[in-house]
Each structure stands twice: as structure tokens, then as C-alpha cells.
Amino acid sequence: MVVGGGLGASADLLLEPLEQALQRLTPLRPALAASLLGEDAVLLGAVSSAVETARPEAFERRTSRLRR
């Protein structure tokens, strides 16, 4: 699990309490880490998702019509 965005800036304070809470609440033990993207994590994730969604429409479908 990655702690990012505004919370990522305080990851040094949050990771240990989060790990302790997870140990109490669930048998799962996900690895916790601070995001390397800082406050831009949410924005970059949204841009990445938009590009992934748009790529087939903008490139693959349109170029396949040209090959016919």
C-alpha cells in the first residue's frame, strides 16, 4: 500500500501507526511505503489513467482504420 498525496508528506509519522492498525484489523500484511511522487501523486495518477483510457481511441482504433 502506498501512502501518497498530502498524507505522503507525513508518511514518516503515519507508517508505523498504520501498520499497527492493520495488524489489529486484518490478517493481511500489505507492505506500506511512502509515495515517491509527493503531492503530485493524485494528479499524476489521474493523468496516467486518462492517457491509458484515451490511447486506444486516439491511436490504436484510428490507425487500424488507415491500414485497411
Side-chain angles (χ1 to χ4, degrees), residues 40-63:
D40 292 335
V42 174
L43 173 63
L44 293 173
V47 169
S48 175
S49 180
V51 168
E52 185 177 322
T53 301
R55 183 181 309 272
E57 180 62 32
F59 297 106
E60 294 169 13
R61 291 184 192 161
R62 292 180 191 270
T63 57

Side-chain angles (χ1 to χ4, degrees), residues 6-9 13 24-25 27 29 34 52 55 65 68:
L7 290 175
L13 301 173
R24 287 191 311 272
L25 297 172
R29 299 291 183 261
E52 185 177 322
R55 183 181 309 272
R65 289 182 204 148
R68 291 182 191 171

